[in-house]
Amino acid sequence: MTEVVNSSIPLIAVIIPLFITLPILLTKNNPNIRDFFSVAGAFTTFLVVFNIYLKVKNGEILEFQLIEFIPGLVLKFKVDAFGVFFALMASFLWFVTTFYSIGYMRGNKEKNQTRFFVFFAISMFAAISAAFSGNLITLYLFYEILTFATYPLVAHKQTKEAIQGARRYLSYLLFTSVMFFLPALIYIYTTIGNLDFTLGGVLNSTNNVDKSVLGIMLLLFVFGSAKAAVMPFHLWLPSAMVAPTPVSALLHAVAVVKTGVFVIVRVFVYIYGIDFLKDVFTTNLVTIFAAFTIIVASMVALRQDNIKARLAYSTISQLSYIVLSVSLLSITGAIGAIMHIVAHGFAKITLFFWAGAVYVANHKTKVSELNGIAKYMPYSMAAFTVGALSMIGFPPTAGFISKWFIANGAVEAGKAWVIGILVISALLNAGYFVPIFINAYLKPAQNAHEEHLHEAPLIMLVPIIVTSILTFAIFIYPDMFLNLAKIALGIGG
Amino acid sequence: MNLEMNLPALVVVFPFFSAMLMVAIGVFYKKIVQTMFQVTALITAYFSILLLIKVYESGPIRYFFGNWVPPVGIEYYVDYTNVLFITIIAVLLFVMSIYFPNSVKKEIPESKQYIFYSVTMLFASGLLGITITGDLFNIYVFTEISSITAYALIAIGGTKRSYRASFNYLILGTIGATFIVLGIGYLYMATGTLNLLDMQQRLVPMYNSKIVIVGSVFIIVGLSMKMALFPLHTWLPGAYTHSPSTISAFMSATSTKVMAYLLIRFFYTILTPNFVAKTLPLTEVLFYISLIAILAGSFLALGQKDLKMMFAYSSIGQIGYIVFGTTLINKYGLIGSMYHFLSHAVVKGGLFLVAGIIFYFTTCTKIENLNGLFKRMPFTSFAFLIFALSMVGIPITSGFISKWYLVLGAINSGKWLGVIVILISSLLTAIYFWRIVDRIFFINSDNKVNRVKEPLSMLIPTYTLVAITLYFGIFPVKLIRYTEIAANFLMETIK
């Protein structure tokens, strides 16, 4: 029932973010007009992606060939349900984040705001292009562009600390993608000669290929896509927290890190194929690495006093949920993986928004400084509560749905021990979020002058509220994303 | 006299005689020489492109000087491979010739300028001659022309260091040339011919002859010296660093590469892979040497404090890439080598042009002085960024394509060690370039400096090279197809 249609709409969707950098640069002397272009660009991008979503929902697959890159290897967009799933989330959150960024950057009186918005748009161009990529080489291309486009955002403050963090960020991502991902990609290309994403994989067992080598390549893919932050290649993410909070929120909780897991899911489901992987021994190793990351990153998060560092380690842990559940090799597990992309996306962006709001309004960066803050920031704290509950996996929040599928997937795959991991991790999540509640709601404010505390500006508050409401909404009405996930995996929809 | 018929000769002879004329005219009208230089470069580039089109359409050309058929006469032999190299050299010379005047006025004493232009043109014609000729002794003659002019060009800077660098190169270059001429002598002794294609035929039954083996080893060693293959590289850093900016740019883009081209010629046309890979383990040995060169160049570049010095050491690594590709003895390796020839010539040439602009304004290329350069020279800084990305081999730059094919070639030959080394070296390249990118874009300068306006005559050539590296990174297919034809043609000797 799916049909492939040639269409240039995907191209339009990715051109817009690239194109608006021009008016942003030209109007750099007039911040209001400049920021208007950011908002308008994000909004039109979202509209176009939504338009694509309507088509894909009805069983179309949009294809657009860019150029023949290397003889026999074409750069192309091919938007299937999974691609539009990711693009929809990214472009919508970009729209929301733009308002928030304007509030944050102005509220903080940051320098070089034009550069910030330009590279923000370029990063989104890369992320949406990655979502639309029709084969592995195109995906790799935009993966690398994303790395470089986010570098100026991480180094934004240009202090020694920011530059060091940015360097570490770049070196981790570049090292892994060049040393692991690229050779694995070239190996697959030389053995199969086809890198197109195909449901069920391009490596059929009939091909006479050495499965042990392919197994090693699978590990290279998983670690090569270090944006997914599977341990031991996770340290870049805490380093990237030197960036302004909107960057941490959209890029290091949604666009960049999700591109990492997106790549891994693509490789598992659309290059290797779930059935084929059942004979590849290293999938178990991937499961173990992911499980290890989930637990250890949560334990590290417990000990972080800096809010953003705590959230970063929580992200590392949550990303591995996705890697873990796709490595279970069951359809339900794969649905869980895809659903967790969006569930974690909305919840984590809410948490980062909250962290940024606390910083802009009251200049607090540490958990221990939050005493009694709920009284002064009631709306932000309410949003935080929703996000944290979703992280832990409480109903009625989005996090419950994805964890439900992951647990079912584990049973389906006959790996019930994974449920144990989920439970321990939920407890640990609670362990590092509950103290924040206690500090904020129950403890009295420390000093007398704390009475100056106040709520964040409205332009930041609205995005927080929107994302937190959506975290609910996804629980109540998951069908939109769930159907896409099912179409993506070729079941029903 | 038909222009099209005589293109192979014109491409070399025209700049050669023009260079002579420049001296004669320069004595009387110094100012004209600069224009003459540019016009000559333009016409040479035009000839080379005509030649490229002709070869592409109708196949390799054998051009006999004075219609004397070899082995008696001298032959110019143009096939798919060297016409590509000729075009790159000639076009780069033209692009850079636009850049010359500003930089030359700044760096060369006025009384010597016309000589400088003339010698540069002579140097270029020497390089073109090496690439086009089909006669072994001619190769030696042109090598000497290009070397002797190079010694002069390096020394023309007039500082103590440039004399030392020039002298250093003089000694080592002469030793290298001697090796080459001895090797040629041995091969001549064995076969009685100096014509490349003729020699290829006559050598086939002699693969076990000791003279041939000794001769070819001599030649390979000589070439390694001239192309600064590690550990015979010691002349190169000084020569590139202490010569005038324009010369560093043009030399780094072409001179060592031409020697690498000769290596391809020897491996594939004269000696044939059957000999260098099977009878003698030459390719095997050079494979490992090239790996060491790649790593050593990158490591040495890491510690440099001067921009030009760093580029020079990076060139040592990059020449390793080209040699690496030729030793794989498969199609992909050759495509990678040829593509890298283009890519690296453009990028490294461009980087030296950038260094030249920086030198033009600050008279210094120390890395520590680059802080906050973006604020002062945004256009130059941006060009640097693109070149740096291409050096690292990031997709959508030409550097990615060449590395892709080198890795592909290595995997096809089952040489995983090569794959690992190439990738590690990419990362090392990333480290030593990113250090500078950080300084230029993100670290603020201590003292406030005003924005300077780079002259257009320097920006246009630089940005032409930026455009070329991006173009061949985004639309590489045509060139890949072309190099594939060239590679297949070279590989035919295997059968």
Side-chain angles (χ1 to χ4, degrees):
Chain A
M1 63 168 281
T2 53
E3 52 170 334
V4 178
V5 188
N6 266 319
S7 159
S8 56
I9 307 179
L11 187 67
I12 297 171
V14 303
I15 287 280
I16 296 169
L18 202 56
F19 181 74
I20 58 154
T21 56
L22 204 65
I24 292 178
L25 276 175
L26 290 177
T27 57
K28 64 178 172 190
N29 294 323
N30 190 335
N32 288 332
I33 298 182
R34 179 195 67 197
D35 294 347
F36 163 76
F37 278 115
S38 286
V39 173
F43 184 64
T44 35
T45 310
F46 171 68
L47 282 187
V48 178
V49 173
F50 194 78
N51 192 344
I52 296 173
Y53 158 71
L54 292 178
K55 288 179 194 285
V56 172
K57 195 180 69 166
N58 295 327
E60 286 181 30
I61 288 179
L62 307 184
E63 199 175 273
F64 185 81
Q65 295 215 349
L66 292 167
I67 41 166
E68 191 177 12
F69 189 47
I70 285 169
L73 209 51
V74 179
L75 290 189
K76 68 175 176 187
F77 288 144
K78 189 173 153 194
V79 190
D80 60 359
F82 186 38
V84 84
F85 179 94
F86 181 42
L88 200 60
M89 178 185 74
S91 62
F92 176 74
L93 289 178
W94 180 32
F95 175 56
V96 177
T97 310
T98 308
F99 287 107
Y100 182 84
S101 313
I102 295 169
Y104 181 91
M105 298 305 276
R106 291 186 180 186
N108 242 352
K109 299 192 180 63
E110 295 269 354
K111 287 178 187 165
N112 295 318
Q113 292 192 18
T114 308
R115 182 181 74 192
F116 176 86
F117 284 108
V118 165
F119 280 99
F120 216 96
I122 296 176
S123 304
M124 290 318 289
F125 152 76
I128 296 173
S129 305
F132 286 170
S133 296
N135 54 25
L136 205 54
I137 180 81
T138 319
L139 186 54
Y140 174 74
L141 175 76
F142 288 112
Y143 179 95
E144 292 287 31
I145 292 178
L146 187 57
T147 309
F148 282 95
T150 45
Y151 183 86
L153 297 173
V154 178
H156 183 83
K157 283 180 190 142
Q158 293 184 230
T159 56
K160 205 169 188 188
E161 192 197 358
I163 289 172
Q164 265 173 4
R167 271 192 194 171
R168 186 191 259 194
Y169 173 75
L170 185 70
S171 41
Y172 265 80
L173 294 184
L174 203 61
F175 174 84
T176 49
S177 70
V178 170
M179 285 310 286
F180 303 149
F181 200 91
L182 190 60
L185 179 135
I186 297 178
Y187 180 80
I188 299 281
Y189 175 64
T190 49
T191 44
I192 311 295
N194 180 10
L195 293 173
D196 282 1
F197 294 132
T198 319
L199 190 59
V202 291
L203 303 160
N204 293 323
S205 12
T206 47
N207 282 345
N208 196 13
V209 282
D210 188 350
K211 283 202 172 156
S212 53
V213 179
L214 281 177
I216 293 165
M217 292 303 151
L218 186 75
L219 285 182
L220 290 186
F221 276 125
V222 170
F223 292 118
S225 178
K227 289 193 170 111
V230 177
M231 280 182 182
F233 296 102
H234 65 286
L235 279 176
W236 64 269
L237 191 55
S239 302
M241 290 299 137
V242 295
T245 306
V247 175
S248 311
L250 183 61
L251 295 171
H252 300 127
V254 182
V256 170
V257 290
K258 294 295 151 55
T259 305
V261 286
F262 182 81
V263 168
I264 292 177
V265 174
R266 279 286 193 209
V267 167
F268 267 77
V269 182
Y270 297 86
I271 293 290
Y272 278 80
I274 289 179
D275 289 329
F276 180 80
L277 279 175
K278 283 179 179 150
D279 303 329
V280 177
F281 68 104
T282 46
T283 47
N284 288 323
L285 276 178
V286 176
T287 316
I288 290 166
F289 269 105
F292 177 80
T293 309
I294 291 175
I295 300 296
V296 174
S298 298
M299 290 191 328
V300 178
L302 276 176
R303 297 180 51 230
Q304 305 295 322
D305 191 30
N306 185 303
I307 298 172
K308 281 175 80 178
R310 190 176 282 201
L311 292 180
Y313 276 100
S314 154
T315 304
I316 295 170
S317 156
Q318 297 284 330
L319 289 171
S320 275
Y321 274 76
I322 300 167
V323 178
L324 174 106
S325 59
V326 75
S327 73
L328 293 173
L329 307 181
S330 67
I331 291 289
T332 322
I335 293 178
I338 295 176
M339 284 308 287
H340 201 65
I341 291 179
V342 67
H344 173 251
F346 278 90
K348 190 46 80 50
I349 204 170
T350 311
L351 295 180
F352 270 110
F353 280 171
W354 165 78
V358 170
Y359 177 67
V360 168
N362 303 315
H363 294 282
K364 303 218 179 290
T365 55
K366 297 212 167 105
V367 176
S368 51
E369 297 171 345
L370 294 178
N371 292 356
I373 208 162
K375 204 165 106 192
Y376 305 96
M377 307 183 73
Y379 300 109
S380 331
M381 274 313 291
F384 169 83
T385 312
V386 176
L389 287 181
S390 179
M391 287 286 145
I392 301 167
F394 263 107
T397 55
F400 175 75
I401 300 213
S402 49
K403 288 197 184 172
W404 174 261
F405 278 107
I406 297 173
N408 274 331
V411 176
E412 199 177 299
K415 290 177 183 168
W417 59 271
V418 168
I419 296 177
I421 300 283
L422 293 183
V423 172
I424 297 172
S425 158
L427 289 176
L428 288 170
N429 287 351
Y432 56 77
F433 282 125
V434 167
I436 301 182
F437 290 125
I438 295 175
N439 283 358
Y441 280 106
L442 302 179
K443 286 192 184 167
Q446 281 155 329
N447 303 323
H449 69 262
E450 296 281 358
E451 279 158 23
H452 299 293
L453 295 178
H454 52 86
E455 181 61 279
L458 195 64
I459 195 170
M460 296 171 78
L461 207 52
V462 173
I464 308 180
I465 306 285
V466 169
T467 52
S468 62
I469 289 177
L470 284 170
T471 310
F472 270 128
I474 292 170
F475 174 81
I476 298 160
Y477 183 73
D479 287 3
M480 177 175 164
F481 286 110
L482 203 54
N483 283 340
L484 276 180
K486 282 179 180 164
I487 300 174
L489 295 167
I491 45 167
Chain B
M1 175 102 172
N2 186 329
L3 175 80
E4 201 186 331
M5 290 291 293
N6 293 308
L7 271 178
L10 279 172
V11 157
V12 182
V13 173
F14 179 73
F16 188 82
F17 280 106
S18 174
M20 305 289 174
L21 207 59
M22 273 182 220
V23 184
I25 292 182
V27 176
F28 304 104
Y29 308 103
K30 289 200 171 55
K31 290 202 172 117
I32 283 188
V33 173
Q34 169 195 319
T35 322
M36 260 185 88
F37 177 78
Q38 289 171 330
V39 171
T40 311
L42 174 65
I43 295 176
T44 313
Y46 173 68
F47 285 154
S48 72
I49 290 171
L50 284 185
L51 192 61
L52 177 76
I53 295 170
K54 197 175 162 194
V55 171
Y56 185 66
E57 281 170 356
S58 49
I61 301 170
R62 302 188 64 174
Y63 178 87
F64 306 127
F65 257 91
N67 281 333
W68 290 93
V69 178
V72 179
I74 290 173
E75 180 195 353
Y76 275 11
Y77 173 63
V78 191
D79 69 358
Y80 298 105
T81 314
N82 59 358
V83 76
L84 177 74
F85 286 47
I86 288 165
T87 315
I88 296 170
I89 296 170
V91 170
L92 273 180
L93 178 67
F94 168 63
V95 171
M96 290 182 183
S97 74
I98 303 170
Y99 181 99
F100 267 63
N102 264 316
S103 175
V104 169
K105 270 177 206 144
K106 178 104 181 171
E107 294 174 23
I108 316 278
E110 210 187 332
S111 57
K112 286 186 194 159
Q113 283 178 7
Y114 72 101
I115 298 278
F116 174 78
Y117 282 118
S118 161
V119 175
T120 309
M121 193 49 85
L122 205 57
F123 173 67
S125 66
L127 294 179
L128 289 168
I130 300 173
T131 344
I132 205 166
T133 186
D135 183 280
L136 267 180
F137 196 72
N138 229 288
I139 287 180
Y140 171 69
V141 172
F142 279 119
T143 310
E144 282 298 290
I145 291 180
S146 69
S147 309
I148 291 169
T149 48
Y151 310 144
L153 288 172
I154 294 164
I156 215 164
T159 61
K160 239 183 204 169
R161 283 178 175 171
S162 58
Y163 294 144
R164 200 196 301 145
S166 171
F167 188 71
N168 213 341
Y169 183 25
L170 173 74
I171 301 292
L172 291 171
T174 311
I175 295 173
T178 314
F179 268 100
I180 294 176
V181 76
L182 277 174
I184 292 173
Y186 278 122
L187 290 186
Y188 180 61
M189 208 158 93
T191 58
T193 182
L194 284 168
N195 184 280
L196 299 186
L197 299 177
D198 202 24
M199 186 175 276
Q200 177 197 334
Q201 302 301 323
R202 296 196 195 185
L203 273 176
V204 175
M206 299 188 197
Y207 280 167
N208 291 319
S209 145
K210 282 212 174 95
I211 306 178
V212 173
I213 292 174
V214 171
S216 29
V217 171
F218 263 104
I219 289 176
I220 300 299
V221 173
L223 285 179
S224 308
M225 198 116 191
K226 296 290 281 181
M227 74 171 107
L229 189 64
F230 188 86
L232 304 175
H233 67 283
T234 44
W235 60 268
L236 185 138
Y240 283 9
T241 312
H242 303 302
S243 51
S245 312
T246 47
I247 292 308
S248 332
F250 187 61
M251 263 178 76
S252 68
T254 52
S255 72
T256 52
K257 313 289 181 315
V258 165
M259 295 299 153
Y261 153 76
L262 279 185
L263 190 73
I264 297 182
R265 247 311 165 248
F266 271 99
F267 273 4
Y268 290 88
T269 308
I270 304 174
L271 300 170
T272 75
N274 289 329
F275 176 70
V276 287
K278 289 172 192 157
T279 317
L280 269 184
L282 265 182
T283 51
E284 197 68 17
V285 173
L286 272 182
F287 171 75
Y288 290 105
I289 292 180
S290 71
L291 292 189
I292 297 170
I294 291 172
L295 288 179
S298 304
F299 271 114
L300 289 171
L302 273 178
Q304 299 308 319
K305 294 198 171 75
D306 183 280
L307 199 59
K308 282 174 90 175
M309 197 63 120
M310 189 189 94
F311 294 161
Y313 276 105
S314 135
S315 281
I316 293 165
Q318 302 292 320
I319 203 77
Y321 281 84
I322 296 178
V323 175
F324 172 84
T326 61
T327 61
L328 294 174
I329 311 285
N330 66 36
K331 191 174 79 178
Y332 298 116
L334 271 178
I335 294 178
S337 274
M338 284 189 229
Y339 212 94
H340 200 66
F341 182 96
L342 168 91
S343 168
H344 184 246
V346 169
V347 171
K348 193 48 71 62
L351 280 171
F352 273 107
L353 291 187
V354 166
I357 300 181
I358 295 171
F359 185 83
Y360 184 78
F361 285 107
T362 62
T363 60
C364 170
T365 53
K366 285 236 163 27
I367 287 176
E368 59 187 25
N369 289 350
L370 294 176
N371 288 1
L373 191 77
F374 180 66
K375 290 251 162 64
R376 270 180 290 166
M377 313 181 191
F379 290 109
T380 313
S381 308
F382 185 71
F384 177 87
L385 177 69
I386 303 285
F387 290 134
L389 291 178
S390 187
M391 286 293 299
V392 181
I394 298 302
I396 76 160
T397 60
S398 56
F400 176 73
I401 308 288
S402 50
K403 276 183 195 167
W404 173 276
Y405 273 97
L406 289 175
V407 170
L408 207 61
I411 291 181
N412 265 327
S413 309
K415 289 178 169 161
W416 285 92
L417 183 65
V419 177
I420 294 168
V421 167
I422 287 208
L423 296 178
I424 288 181
S425 143
S426 298
L427 291 170
L428 290 173
T429 316
I431 294 172
Y432 63 74
F433 271 104
W434 209 260
R435 217 162 47 114
I436 295 174
V437 169
D438 263 348
R439 278 183 187 277
I440 292 181
F441 290 92
F442 295 106
I443 296 179
N444 289 326
S445 168
D446 302 331
N447 34 6
K448 197 163 168 59
V449 210
N450 291 327
R451 161 112 160 72
V452 296
K453 232 176 145 39
E454 301 102 317
L456 269 185
S457 70
M458 296 177 112
L459 279 185
I460 290 173
T462 314
Y463 271 86
T464 312
L465 299 185
V466 168
I468 294 176
T469 184
L470 287 178
Y471 178 81
F472 286 115
I474 302 173
F475 307 103
V477 174
K478 265 192 187 158
L479 188 64
I480 293 173
R481 292 245 160 81
Y482 180 83
T483 47
E484 198 171 354
I485 297 174
N488 282 333
F489 190 77
L490 285 176
M491 296 292 287
E492 266 176 22
T493 49
I494 271 189
K495 284 160 201 163

